[in-house]
Amino acid sequence: MEKRLGEIELLGKKYPLNYSVRISQDVDGILSEKAAGDLAAIARRDIRLISLMMDDAKKYRRLILGEETETLSREQMELILTPADVPKLEKAISETVSLGGMRFIEAAPPKKEGAEGTEK
């Protein structure tokens, strides 16, 4: 199976994250919002994103893998995380979005002109 789920480690436990068409519009909308310049506002925005991705991963794993996955609520994450965790949150979001799109990128390098006796 392809690697498409991201993850985030919170309190020593890894939680899967998923970026799918189902949540892409919500995620893109949240990412385009300007959070106030303070880390607390950025952390709250990122926690909203992680919460969406965690819930989506839970549904994906149930449907595709037949596995139940434990998740944390948004409120739990707001209690656990601090503004200092913003880099960790943003890294998990970025990696998950990247993994969610990787499966569409499978291109062979273009053939060079003039190779194997081809004349110009």
Side-chain angles (χ1 to χ4, degrees), residues 25-39:
Q25 189 170 8
D26 293 334
V27 170
D28 292 345
I30 294 168
L31 283 172
S32 67
E33 289 176 12
K34 282 204 169 195
D38 66 290
L39 282 177

Side-chain angles (χ1 to χ4, degrees), residues 61-102:
R61 289 178 62 107
R62 182 184 306 131
L63 176 69
I64 303 301
L65 305 174
E67 299 174 0
E68 289 298 321
T69 304
E70 183 182 335
T71 61
L72 296 173
S73 71
R74 194 164 138 190
E75 182 180 24
Q76 288 171 319
M77 286 187 273
E78 287 174 349
L79 290 168
I80 293 166
L81 296 164
T82 71
D85 290 313
V86 165
K88 175 183 187 169
L89 297 171
E90 292 186 345
K91 181 179 180 207
I93 291 165
S94 176
E95 288 175 355
T96 301
V97 170
S98 180
L99 285 169
M102 273 190 195

